Amino acid sequence: MISVVDVTQHYGVRPVLRQINLRVSEGEVLALMGPNGMGKSTLLAVMAGVLTPQKGYVEINGKRRRSSEENELAIRKQAVYLPDHPWLPRNRTGREFLMSIGELYEVEPLRLMDHVERLLDLFQLRDQADSPIRSYSSGQMKKTSICSTLVTEAPVLLLDEPFSGGLDPSAILALKAVLERLAARSDMTVVMSTPVPELIEDFADRIAVIRDGQIIACDTLEGLRRTTSCTGSLAEVFQRLINPHTAEHIERYFQRS
Amino acid sequence: MRLRLRSILPPGWVLFLLTLLYVLADGVVLAVAMVFEHRFSLHLYTPWISQYVLLLGCALLGAYRIIAIHPLFQADYRHWLEASAWSARKPLPAGPVHLVWQDAVVLLLIGMLALRYPGVNPMDFICTFLFTYLMSAVFVLALVQAWVLPYAMAFGMGGVVLAQRSSLAICAIFLVLYIIAWVELRRTLRDFPWNLGRWEAFLRSGTLKGPQRQQLLGWPFQLLSPDRATPSLPFHQALLISLLSGWWVYVLFLSDSQPGEAEMPYWAVVMIGAFCRVVVYCTGYLPPLNLAGRVFRMRWIIPGYDKVFLVPAIVLVTGYVLPRVLLENGWQASSVYPVCTAIVLLLLFLPGPTLRAWRLTGSHRIYPLMPKREFIRI
């Protein structure tokens, strides 16, 4: 379980997160949505232990982040973070890299080898698996970074825009299918941010909408529909929540042209 | 005896090359002197180039005795020893790593050759041999994590600087260091086979590529790893480094002809030490709030982050005040600065937070600083 308690964060003068309170239960998939620059990545970074918020704290499975060396290492073992812009080792092959990550998380060797092979097949990386990562396309690198997160077998995944970064349609479908299957498991907790509502509406248990550093809504899709009195897709619900005047703006734009 | 000499000497072609170089060095000087006899009197000729060739030979021979013979540097030999029935009680099959009487014969020959050079002490050649032998032994022992000789050498070299031109004193220091090297080499041979860890691949292929690559995990795994091995300095190492630095400040102080400039090594240690601590702690670990945020949000101090500046600040203040206090209390400058160096470095190394505690629990923002030659950002 993840608890975000009263988290406030400023990098400079402007607050990025304001008194965020959030609970993600074990086995839940929570999607963070919101316009660009509203604090989704910062909230994930706070959960991932990348930064200490000015106020508030984060607990993962009952342990507070950065409260002690033991707690922090235990949390790092359980919670894996995929940033929107990861750095990959240029000269290592994809297979070597994935094996190293699995070893780091002490995945049993035989299971690790099998898991790596299945991931390479799933994301169609087998042909490139033994080439240095520098020779990969950006989409293949993104796939490799997603594989590196999955290969850890950690029970908590914090994914910052996993669908972005040049993934091809088959990889998007593969990742979506993987997340759907993970969502069905009761021992996997996933928090992810995405700007594309269509990709997550099928499997996200709850959707948290962030605007101006605050969570303005956090509910199931049905709950959000009730709140906004909108029976349409998540995209329409999201639009109602974030910018209810978008349709008017579009009309006005084309009337003037 | 021939076999034994062969086992301690470099290959024949190296010896031939050195001999040729030695003869040519003498020959060139002699030829020049003869051609220009009308300008230079032949009796003024001294074989000054060949004496450096002889010094070079001594240095190479000293290094060869360890680098080429010790099993650490020959992976195949080392692995063969591991698989064989060899033990430290038996002689090493490829030759002894400690000095034997055959070395004395070689050094005696060199000493006799050195007698040709007027005004040159033959002991200098023997010291050169011992210096490169001991430095090679330091390298070997450091790789197998045996630190007695490396520290003894670091202290002893200060003694060599202080002894200056007294070859006898220098030889005595080298003799003591050699006894330590002998004990340590024997002790580490008893501990064979060694766990070389990440040096194994380096010693096998001459490159760090392999083990380095194992540690290259990029962002976020390199910085948010669940078992990130943070370098730490044990207390005894911190103490030894502090004492060693104090000793070298003392050595430089005494060997400096201008006492007014003798404080320089001390100030260099204080300033560089404080700066290095800040760099080590803060590189990639930024404050959670930038300067504008601190100013405009009236958060001048962020205790969870700014605590890393406390020790460097204490070091700078202590570094400034302590020598003055001691000097005013009648201490000699020659003892004040070495003592202060040791104290200041201990202050720099010992107080917390430890680097591991800081990286895991500090109130910072982790900022991945990844070298672009090694990593690609997606």
Short mmCIF file of all heavy atoms in Angstrom, two decimals, chain A residues 9-13 50 52 54 66 69 72-73 76 81 83 85-88 90-92 96-97 101 104 134 141 148, chain B residues 213 216-221 223 225-227 288-290 297 299 356-357 360 362-364 366 372-376 378:
data_model
loop_
_atom_site.label_atom_id
_atom_site.label_comp_id
_atom_site.label_asym_id
_atom_site.label_seq_id
_atom_site.Cartn_x
_atom_site.Cartn_y
_atom_site.Cartn_z
N GLN A 9 5.31 20.36 -2.39
CA GLN A 9 6.66 20.46 -2.97
C GLN A 9 6.78 21.73 -3.81
O GLN A 9 5.91 22.05 -4.62
CB GLN A 9 6.95 19.22 -3.83
CG GLN A 9 8.16 19.30 -4.71
CD GLN A 9 9.48 19.37 -3.92
OE1 GLN A 9 9.51 19.06 -2.73
NE2 GLN A 9 10.53 19.83 -4.56
N HIS A 10 7.87 22.47 -3.59
CA HIS A 10 8.24 23.60 -4.44
C HIS A 10 9.65 23.31 -4.91
O HIS A 10 10.48 22.91 -4.12
CB HIS A 10 8.35 24.91 -3.63
CG HIS A 10 7.18 25.20 -2.77
ND1 HIS A 10 6.22 26.10 -3.13
CD2 HIS A 10 6.81 24.74 -1.56
CE1 HIS A 10 5.31 26.18 -2.16
NE2 HIS A 10 5.65 25.37 -1.21
N TYR A 11 9.91 23.51 -6.19
CA TYR A 11 11.31 23.50 -6.64
C TYR A 11 11.88 24.92 -6.46
O TYR A 11 13.04 25.10 -6.17
CB TYR A 11 11.42 23.12 -8.11
CG TYR A 11 11.09 21.67 -8.38
CD1 TYR A 11 9.99 21.33 -9.15
CD2 TYR A 11 11.87 20.65 -7.85
CE1 TYR A 11 9.68 20.00 -9.41
CE2 TYR A 11 11.57 19.33 -8.10
CZ TYR A 11 10.48 19.01 -8.88
OH TYR A 11 10.17 17.69 -9.13
N GLY A 12 11.01 25.87 -6.69
CA GLY A 12 11.43 27.26 -6.56
C GLY A 12 10.33 28.02 -5.84
O GLY A 12 9.92 27.63 -4.75
N VAL A 13 9.85 29.06 -6.47
CA VAL A 13 8.83 29.89 -5.82
C VAL A 13 7.45 29.26 -5.99
O VAL A 13 6.65 29.21 -5.05
CB VAL A 13 8.86 31.31 -6.43
CG1 VAL A 13 7.82 32.20 -5.77
CG2 VAL A 13 10.25 31.91 -6.28
N VAL A 50 12.84 9.93 -5.23
CA VAL A 50 13.81 10.75 -5.96
C VAL A 50 14.01 12.08 -5.24
O VAL A 50 15.11 12.63 -5.23
CB VAL A 50 13.35 10.99 -7.41
CG1 VAL A 50 14.31 11.89 -8.16
CG2 VAL A 50 13.22 9.66 -8.13
N THR A 52 12.78 14.57 -1.64
CA THR A 52 12.08 14.69 -0.37
C THR A 52 11.17 15.91 -0.46
O THR A 52 11.64 17.00 -0.77
CB THR A 52 13.08 14.94 0.78
OG1 THR A 52 14.08 13.94 0.68
CG2 THR A 52 12.42 14.86 2.13
N GLN A 54 8.92 19.17 0.63
CA GLN A 54 9.12 20.15 1.70
C GLN A 54 8.23 19.86 2.90
O GLN A 54 8.60 20.13 4.04
CB GLN A 54 8.80 21.56 1.18
CG GLN A 54 10.04 22.35 0.86
CD GLN A 54 10.36 22.19 -0.61
OE1 GLN A 54 9.62 22.68 -1.44
NE2 GLN A 54 11.43 21.49 -0.92
N ARG A 66 12.79 7.37 3.29
CA ARG A 66 13.96 8.10 3.81
C ARG A 66 13.94 8.28 5.33
O ARG A 66 14.63 9.16 5.85
CB ARG A 66 14.09 9.47 3.13
CG ARG A 66 14.33 9.36 1.63
CD ARG A 66 14.92 10.61 1.08
NE ARG A 66 15.06 10.54 -0.37
CZ ARG A 66 15.51 11.51 -1.12
NH1 ARG A 66 15.89 12.63 -0.57
NH2 ARG A 66 15.62 11.37 -2.41
N GLU A 69 17.96 4.13 6.97
CA GLU A 69 18.64 3.41 5.88
C GLU A 69 17.94 2.08 5.59
O GLU A 69 17.73 1.72 4.43
CB GLU A 69 20.10 3.14 6.27
CG GLU A 69 20.93 4.41 6.35
CD GLU A 69 22.35 4.14 6.81
OE1 GLU A 69 22.95 3.15 6.37
OE2 GLU A 69 22.87 4.91 7.63
N GLU A 72 14.56 2.61 3.86
CA GLU A 72 14.71 3.09 2.49
C GLU A 72 15.15 1.93 1.58
O GLU A 72 14.63 1.78 0.47
CB GLU A 72 15.72 4.24 2.44
CG GLU A 72 15.96 4.85 1.07
CD GLU A 72 14.71 5.45 0.43
OE1 GLU A 72 13.75 5.79 1.14
OE2 GLU A 72 14.70 5.56 -0.82
N LEU A 73 16.10 1.13 2.05
CA LEU A 73 16.55 0.00 1.23
C LEU A 73 15.43 -1.02 1.04
O LEU A 73 15.28 -1.59 -0.05
CB LEU A 73 17.77 -0.66 1.86
CG LEU A 73 19.07 0.14 1.74
CD1 LEU A 73 20.19 -0.52 2.53
CD2 LEU A 73 19.50 0.29 0.28
N ARG A 76 13.11 0.40 -1.53
CA ARG A 76 13.72 0.33 -2.87
C ARG A 76 13.62 -1.07 -3.45
O ARG A 76 13.55 -1.23 -4.66
CB ARG A 76 15.19 0.76 -2.79
CG ARG A 76 15.36 2.25 -2.60
CD ARG A 76 16.81 2.62 -2.62
NE ARG A 76 16.99 4.06 -2.50
CZ ARG A 76 18.13 4.68 -2.73
NH1 ARG A 76 19.18 4.00 -3.10
NH2 ARG A 76 18.23 5.99 -2.60
N TYR A 81 10.82 2.26 -9.97
CA TYR A 81 10.39 3.50 -10.62
C TYR A 81 10.88 3.50 -12.07
O TYR A 81 12.05 3.21 -12.33
CB TYR A 81 10.99 4.66 -9.83
CG TYR A 81 10.87 6.03 -10.43
CD1 TYR A 81 9.63 6.57 -10.79
CD2 TYR A 81 12.01 6.82 -10.60
CE1 TYR A 81 9.54 7.85 -11.31
CE2 TYR A 81 11.92 8.11 -11.11
CZ TYR A 81 10.68 8.62 -11.46
OH TYR A 81 10.60 9.88 -11.97
N PRO A 83 11.26 6.31 -14.78
CA PRO A 83 11.10 7.74 -15.08
C PRO A 83 10.72 7.94 -16.54
O PRO A 83 10.86 7.02 -17.36
CB PRO A 83 12.47 8.32 -14.77
CG PRO A 83 13.43 7.18 -14.87
CD PRO A 83 12.68 5.93 -14.61
N HIS A 85 12.26 9.83 -18.58
CA HIS A 85 13.49 9.86 -19.38
C HIS A 85 14.59 9.04 -18.69
O HIS A 85 15.48 9.61 -18.06
CB HIS A 85 13.97 11.30 -19.58
CG HIS A 85 13.04 12.12 -20.39
ND1 HIS A 85 12.80 11.87 -21.72
CD2 HIS A 85 12.26 13.17 -20.06
CE1 HIS A 85 11.92 12.74 -22.17
NE2 HIS A 85 11.57 13.54 -21.19
N PRO A 86 14.53 7.74 -18.80
CA PRO A 86 15.59 6.94 -18.17
C PRO A 86 16.91 7.05 -18.95
O PRO A 86 16.91 7.47 -20.11
CB PRO A 86 15.05 5.51 -18.21
CG PRO A 86 13.96 5.51 -19.20
CD PRO A 86 13.53 6.90 -19.47
N TRP A 87 18.01 6.68 -18.29
CA TRP A 87 19.31 6.61 -18.95
C TRP A 87 19.70 5.14 -19.04
O TRP A 87 19.65 4.44 -18.03
CB TRP A 87 20.38 7.33 -18.12
CG TRP A 87 20.25 8.81 -18.07
CD1 TRP A 87 19.35 9.53 -17.34
CD2 TRP A 87 21.03 9.78 -18.77
NE1 TRP A 87 19.54 10.87 -17.52
CE2 TRP A 87 20.57 11.05 -18.40
CE3 TRP A 87 22.10 9.69 -19.67
CZ2 TRP A 87 21.12 12.22 -18.88
CZ3 TRP A 87 22.66 10.87 -20.14
CH2 TRP A 87 22.17 12.12 -19.77
N LEU A 88 20.09 4.71 -20.22
CA LEU A 88 20.48 3.31 -20.38
C LEU A 88 21.97 3.23 -20.70
O LEU A 88 22.52 4.12 -21.34
CB LEU A 88 19.69 2.67 -21.53
CG LEU A 88 18.17 2.60 -21.35
CD1 LEU A 88 17.53 1.93 -22.56
CD2 LEU A 88 17.80 1.84 -20.10
N ARG A 90 25.05 2.66 -22.58
CA ARG A 90 25.26 2.71 -24.03
C ARG A 90 25.88 1.44 -24.60
O ARG A 90 25.46 0.95 -25.64
CB ARG A 90 26.21 3.90 -24.26
CG ARG A 90 26.46 4.32 -25.64
CD ARG A 90 27.42 5.51 -25.60
NE ARG A 90 26.72 6.76 -25.38
CZ ARG A 90 26.19 7.48 -26.37
NH1 ARG A 90 26.27 7.06 -27.61
NH2 ARG A 90 25.58 8.61 -26.11
N ASN A 91 26.87 0.90 -23.87
CA ASN A 91 27.68 -0.18 -24.46
C ASN A 91 27.28 -1.59 -24.01
O ASN A 91 27.95 -2.54 -24.34
CB ASN A 91 29.15 0.06 -24.12
CG ASN A 91 29.64 1.35 -24.72
OD1 ASN A 91 29.30 1.67 -25.85
ND2 ASN A 91 30.39 2.12 -23.96
N ARG A 92 26.24 -1.69 -23.22
CA ARG A 92 25.81 -3.02 -22.79
C ARG A 92 24.71 -3.52 -23.72
O ARG A 92 23.95 -2.73 -24.27
CB ARG A 92 25.28 -2.98 -21.36
CG ARG A 92 26.28 -2.45 -20.38
CD ARG A 92 25.83 -2.67 -18.98
NE ARG A 92 25.93 -4.09 -18.63
CZ ARG A 92 25.55 -4.58 -17.46
NH1 ARG A 92 25.05 -3.80 -16.55
NH2 ARG A 92 25.67 -5.86 -17.21
N GLU A 96 22.21 -8.31 -21.43
CA GLU A 96 23.11 -8.10 -20.27
C GLU A 96 22.49 -7.15 -19.27
O GLU A 96 22.50 -7.39 -18.06
CB GLU A 96 24.42 -7.43 -20.75
CG GLU A 96 25.48 -8.35 -21.26
CD GLU A 96 26.69 -7.55 -21.75
OE1 GLU A 96 26.66 -6.30 -21.75
OE2 GLU A 96 27.63 -8.20 -22.16
N PHE A 97 21.95 -6.07 -19.80
CA PHE A 97 21.36 -5.04 -18.93
C PHE A 97 20.21 -5.61 -18.11
O PHE A 97 20.16 -5.45 -16.89
CB PHE A 97 20.89 -3.87 -19.81
CG PHE A 97 20.14 -2.80 -19.06
CD1 PHE A 97 20.75 -2.10 -18.02
CD2 PHE A 97 18.84 -2.48 -19.39
CE1 PHE A 97 20.05 -1.13 -17.33
CE2 PHE A 97 18.14 -1.51 -18.71
CZ PHE A 97 18.75 -0.83 -17.67
N ILE A 101 19.89 -6.11 -13.98
CA ILE A 101 18.83 -5.53 -13.16
C ILE A 101 18.15 -6.64 -12.34
O ILE A 101 17.91 -6.47 -11.14
CB ILE A 101 17.77 -4.81 -14.04
CG1 ILE A 101 18.42 -3.69 -14.85
CG2 ILE A 101 16.62 -4.28 -13.20
CD1 ILE A 101 18.97 -2.56 -14.06
N LEU A 104 20.32 -7.54 -9.53
CA LEU A 104 20.29 -6.49 -8.51
C LEU A 104 19.10 -6.69 -7.57
O LEU A 104 19.19 -6.44 -6.37
CB LEU A 104 20.19 -5.13 -9.20
CG LEU A 104 20.25 -3.89 -8.35
CD1 LEU A 104 21.64 -3.72 -7.77
CD2 LEU A 104 19.89 -2.66 -9.17
N ARG A 134 23.28 1.15 -27.63
CA ARG A 134 23.47 2.37 -28.44
C ARG A 134 22.95 2.19 -29.86
O ARG A 134 22.66 3.17 -30.55
CB ARG A 134 24.94 2.80 -28.45
CG ARG A 134 25.85 1.81 -29.11
CD ARG A 134 27.27 2.34 -29.27
NE ARG A 134 28.08 1.37 -29.97
CZ ARG A 134 28.77 0.40 -29.38
NH1 ARG A 134 28.79 0.33 -28.08
NH2 ARG A 134 29.46 -0.47 -30.08
N MET A 141 14.69 1.35 -27.16
CA MET A 141 15.25 1.71 -25.84
C MET A 141 14.14 1.84 -24.81
O MET A 141 14.29 1.41 -23.67
CB MET A 141 16.02 3.03 -25.95
CG MET A 141 17.34 2.91 -26.65
SD MET A 141 18.20 4.47 -26.55
CE MET A 141 19.22 4.38 -27.98
N SER A 148 13.13 -3.56 -18.13
CA SER A 148 13.98 -3.51 -16.93
C SER A 148 13.13 -3.31 -15.68
O SER A 148 13.49 -3.79 -14.60
CB SER A 148 15.02 -2.39 -17.06
OG SER A 148 14.40 -1.13 -16.97
N ARG B 213 31.37 -2.45 -16.67
CA ARG B 213 30.09 -2.59 -17.36
C ARG B 213 29.05 -3.21 -16.45
O ARG B 213 27.88 -2.88 -16.53
CB ARG B 213 30.27 -3.43 -18.62
CG ARG B 213 30.86 -2.63 -19.75
CD ARG B 213 31.28 -3.48 -20.90
NE ARG B 213 30.15 -4.10 -21.55
CZ ARG B 213 30.28 -4.86 -22.63
NH1 ARG B 213 31.46 -5.07 -23.13
NH2 ARG B 213 29.24 -5.39 -23.19
N LEU B 216 27.24 -0.55 -14.59
CA LEU B 216 26.56 0.48 -15.34
C LEU B 216 25.09 0.10 -15.49
O LEU B 216 24.76 -0.76 -16.28
CB LEU B 216 27.21 0.67 -16.71
CG LEU B 216 28.67 1.12 -16.71
CD1 LEU B 216 29.18 1.25 -18.13
CD2 LEU B 216 28.82 2.44 -16.00
N LEU B 217 24.25 0.74 -14.72
CA LEU B 217 22.83 0.41 -14.77
C LEU B 217 21.99 1.60 -15.18
O LEU B 217 20.81 1.46 -15.44
CB LEU B 217 22.38 -0.11 -13.40
CG LEU B 217 23.08 -1.39 -12.92
CD1 LEU B 217 22.69 -1.72 -11.50
CD2 LEU B 217 22.75 -2.55 -13.83
N GLY B 218 22.59 2.76 -15.23
CA GLY B 218 21.87 3.95 -15.69
C GLY B 218 20.91 4.50 -14.65
O GLY B 218 20.99 4.19 -13.46
N TRP B 219 19.99 5.30 -15.14
CA TRP B 219 19.00 5.93 -14.27
C TRP B 219 17.64 5.28 -14.54
O TRP B 219 17.28 5.12 -15.69
CB TRP B 219 18.94 7.43 -14.57
CG TRP B 219 17.77 8.16 -13.99
CD1 TRP B 219 16.73 8.73 -14.67
CD2 TRP B 219 17.53 8.40 -12.61
NE1 TRP B 219 15.86 9.29 -13.80
CE2 TRP B 219 16.31 9.11 -12.53
CE3 TRP B 219 18.20 8.07 -11.42
CZ2 TRP B 219 15.75 9.51 -11.32
CZ3 TRP B 219 17.64 8.46 -10.23
CH2 TRP B 219 16.43 9.18 -10.18
N PRO B 220 16.94 4.82 -13.53
CA PRO B 220 17.11 5.09 -12.10
C PRO B 220 17.88 4.02 -11.32
O PRO B 220 18.16 4.23 -10.13
CB PRO B 220 15.66 5.10 -11.62
CG PRO B 220 14.99 4.07 -12.44
CD PRO B 220 15.63 4.18 -13.81
N PHE B 221 18.22 2.89 -11.93
CA PHE B 221 18.69 1.77 -11.14
C PHE B 221 20.02 2.03 -10.43
O PHE B 221 20.26 1.50 -9.35
CB PHE B 221 18.79 0.51 -12.01
CG PHE B 221 17.45 0.07 -12.49
CD1 PHE B 221 17.05 0.29 -13.80
CD2 PHE B 221 16.56 -0.53 -11.63
CE1 PHE B 221 15.80 -0.09 -14.23
CE2 PHE B 221 15.30 -0.92 -12.06
CZ PHE B 221 14.92 -0.70 -13.36
N LEU B 223 21.08 4.80 -9.10
CA LEU B 223 20.97 5.70 -7.94
C LEU B 223 19.86 5.30 -6.98
O LEU B 223 19.85 5.76 -5.84
CB LEU B 223 20.75 7.14 -8.42
CG LEU B 223 21.85 7.70 -9.31
CD1 LEU B 223 21.50 9.08 -9.83
CD2 LEU B 223 23.16 7.78 -8.52
N SER B 225 19.13 2.04 -6.37
CA SER B 225 19.33 0.60 -6.24
C SER B 225 19.04 0.14 -4.81
O SER B 225 19.33 0.85 -3.85
CB SER B 225 20.77 0.29 -6.63
OG SER B 225 21.19 -0.87 -6.00
N PRO B 226 18.51 -1.07 -4.67
CA PRO B 226 18.24 -1.56 -3.31
C PRO B 226 19.49 -2.00 -2.56
O PRO B 226 19.42 -2.22 -1.37
CB PRO B 226 17.31 -2.75 -3.54
CG PRO B 226 17.57 -3.18 -4.93
CD PRO B 226 18.00 -1.98 -5.70
N ASP B 227 20.61 -2.15 -3.22
CA ASP B 227 21.83 -2.48 -2.45
C ASP B 227 23.00 -1.65 -2.95
O ASP B 227 24.07 -2.16 -3.21
CB ASP B 227 22.14 -3.97 -2.51
CG ASP B 227 22.62 -4.41 -3.88
OD1 ASP B 227 22.41 -3.66 -4.84
OD2 ASP B 227 23.20 -5.47 -3.98
N PRO B 288 16.33 20.27 -2.23
CA PRO B 288 14.97 20.10 -2.75
C PRO B 288 14.37 21.41 -3.23
O PRO B 288 13.42 21.42 -4.02
CB PRO B 288 14.20 19.54 -1.55
CG PRO B 288 15.00 19.89 -0.36
CD PRO B 288 16.41 19.99 -0.79
N LEU B 289 14.92 22.52 -2.76
CA LEU B 289 14.40 23.85 -3.10
C LEU B 289 15.56 24.68 -3.65
O LEU B 289 16.64 24.68 -3.07
CB LEU B 289 13.87 24.49 -1.81
CG LEU B 289 13.07 25.76 -1.88
CD1 LEU B 289 11.78 25.53 -2.66
CD2 LEU B 289 12.72 26.23 -0.47
N ASN B 290 15.33 25.36 -4.79
CA ASN B 290 16.44 26.13 -5.35
C ASN B 290 16.63 27.46 -4.59
O ASN B 290 15.88 27.77 -3.67
CB ASN B 290 16.27 26.33 -6.85
CG ASN B 290 15.05 27.17 -7.20
OD1 ASN B 290 14.56 27.94 -6.36
ND2 ASN B 290 14.53 27.00 -8.40
N ARG B 297 10.62 32.15 -0.33
CA ARG B 297 9.74 31.43 0.60
C ARG B 297 10.26 31.50 2.03
O ARG B 297 9.78 30.80 2.92
CB ARG B 297 9.56 29.98 0.17
CG ARG B 297 8.97 29.85 -1.23
CD ARG B 297 8.33 28.53 -1.45
NE ARG B 297 7.08 28.43 -0.71
CZ ARG B 297 5.92 28.91 -1.10
NH1 ARG B 297 5.83 29.55 -2.24
NH2 ARG B 297 4.84 28.78 -0.37
N ARG B 299 12.83 30.35 3.37
CA ARG B 299 13.40 29.12 3.95
C ARG B 299 14.90 29.17 3.72
O ARG B 299 15.45 28.51 2.85
CB ARG B 299 12.78 27.88 3.30
CG ARG B 299 11.32 27.71 3.64
CD ARG B 299 10.87 26.29 3.41
NE ARG B 299 11.64 25.35 4.25
CZ ARG B 299 11.60 24.04 4.10
NH1 ARG B 299 10.86 23.51 3.16
NH2 ARG B 299 12.29 23.26 4.88
N ARG B 356 26.63 6.99 2.97
CA ARG B 356 25.53 6.04 2.76
C ARG B 356 24.24 6.57 3.40
O ARG B 356 23.19 6.59 2.77
CB ARG B 356 25.92 4.70 3.39
CG ARG B 356 24.89 3.62 3.28
CD ARG B 356 25.39 2.40 4.06
NE ARG B 356 24.32 1.50 4.37
CZ ARG B 356 23.94 0.49 3.60
NH1 ARG B 356 24.54 0.28 2.47
NH2 ARG B 356 22.97 -0.30 3.95
N ALA B 357 24.37 7.06 4.65
CA ALA B 357 23.18 7.58 5.34
C ALA B 357 22.64 8.80 4.60
O ALA B 357 21.43 8.96 4.44
CB ALA B 357 23.53 7.94 6.78
N LEU B 360 20.84 7.78 1.38
CA LEU B 360 19.60 7.04 1.57
C LEU B 360 18.54 7.84 2.33
O LEU B 360 17.35 7.62 2.11
CB LEU B 360 19.86 5.73 2.32
CG LEU B 360 20.59 4.64 1.53
CD1 LEU B 360 21.00 3.49 2.44
CD2 LEU B 360 19.70 4.11 0.41
N GLY B 362 18.94 11.49 3.31
CA GLY B 362 19.04 12.96 3.30
C GLY B 362 17.85 13.61 2.61
O GLY B 362 17.15 13.00 1.81
N SER B 363 17.62 14.87 2.97
CA SER B 363 16.51 15.62 2.35
C SER B 363 17.01 16.27 1.07
O SER B 363 17.24 17.48 1.02
CB SER B 363 16.00 16.69 3.31
OG SER B 363 15.50 16.08 4.45
N HIS B 364 17.22 15.47 0.05
CA HIS B 364 17.76 16.02 -1.19
C HIS B 364 16.91 15.59 -2.37
O HIS B 364 15.93 14.85 -2.23
CB HIS B 364 19.21 15.54 -1.39
CG HIS B 364 19.39 14.07 -1.15
ND1 HIS B 364 18.79 13.10 -1.91
CD2 HIS B 364 20.07 13.40 -0.18
CE1 HIS B 364 19.11 11.91 -1.46
NE2 HIS B 364 19.88 12.05 -0.39
N ILE B 366 17.45 13.78 -5.95
CA ILE B 366 18.45 13.04 -6.72
C ILE B 366 18.38 13.50 -8.17
O ILE B 366 17.31 13.50 -8.78
CB ILE B 366 18.21 11.52 -6.63
CG1 ILE B 366 18.31 11.05 -5.17
CG2 ILE B 366 19.20 10.76 -7.49
CD1 ILE B 366 17.93 9.60 -4.95
N LYS B 372 27.78 11.01 -20.76
CA LYS B 372 27.16 10.67 -22.05
C LYS B 372 27.96 9.66 -22.85
O LYS B 372 27.43 9.03 -23.75
CB LYS B 372 26.96 11.95 -22.87
CG LYS B 372 25.79 12.76 -22.33
CD LYS B 372 25.40 13.87 -23.26
CE LYS B 372 24.17 14.57 -22.71
NZ LYS B 372 23.84 15.78 -23.42
N ARG B 373 29.22 9.49 -22.50
CA ARG B 373 29.99 8.47 -23.22
C ARG B 373 29.57 7.06 -22.78
O ARG B 373 29.87 6.09 -23.46
CB ARG B 373 31.49 8.69 -23.03
CG ARG B 373 31.98 8.45 -21.63
CD ARG B 373 33.47 8.64 -21.50
NE ARG B 373 33.89 8.30 -20.17
CZ ARG B 373 33.77 9.08 -19.12
NH1 ARG B 373 33.22 10.28 -19.25
NH2 ARG B 373 34.19 8.70 -17.93
N GLU B 374 28.93 6.97 -21.64
CA GLU B 374 28.52 5.65 -21.13
C GLU B 374 27.02 5.41 -21.20
O GLU B 374 26.58 4.27 -21.21
CB GLU B 374 28.95 5.50 -19.65
CG GLU B 374 30.44 5.48 -19.42
CD GLU B 374 31.10 4.20 -19.89
OE1 GLU B 374 30.38 3.31 -20.36
OE2 GLU B 374 32.33 4.10 -19.82
N PHE B 375 26.22 6.49 -21.22
CA PHE B 375 24.78 6.32 -21.12
C PHE B 375 24.03 7.11 -22.19
O PHE B 375 24.51 8.14 -22.65
CB PHE B 375 24.28 6.78 -19.74
CG PHE B 375 24.85 5.99 -18.61
CD1 PHE B 375 25.95 6.45 -17.90
CD2 PHE B 375 24.32 4.77 -18.25
CE1 PHE B 375 26.49 5.71 -16.87
CE2 PHE B 375 24.85 4.02 -17.23
CZ PHE B 375 25.94 4.50 -16.53
N ILE B 376 22.85 6.60 -22.51
CA ILE B 376 21.97 7.30 -23.45
C ILE B 376 20.69 7.66 -22.70
O ILE B 376 20.12 6.81 -22.02
CB ILE B 376 21.58 6.41 -24.65
CG1 ILE B 376 22.83 5.91 -25.37
CG2 ILE B 376 20.69 7.16 -25.62
CD1 ILE B 376 22.52 4.94 -26.48
N ILE B 378 16.86 8.44 -22.91
CA ILE B 378 15.77 8.21 -23.87
C ILE B 378 14.93 9.48 -23.98
O ILE B 378 14.53 10.04 -22.97
CB ILE B 378 14.88 7.04 -23.42
CG1 ILE B 378 15.72 5.77 -23.26
CG2 ILE B 378 13.78 6.79 -24.42
CD1 ILE B 378 14.95 4.60 -22.74
#
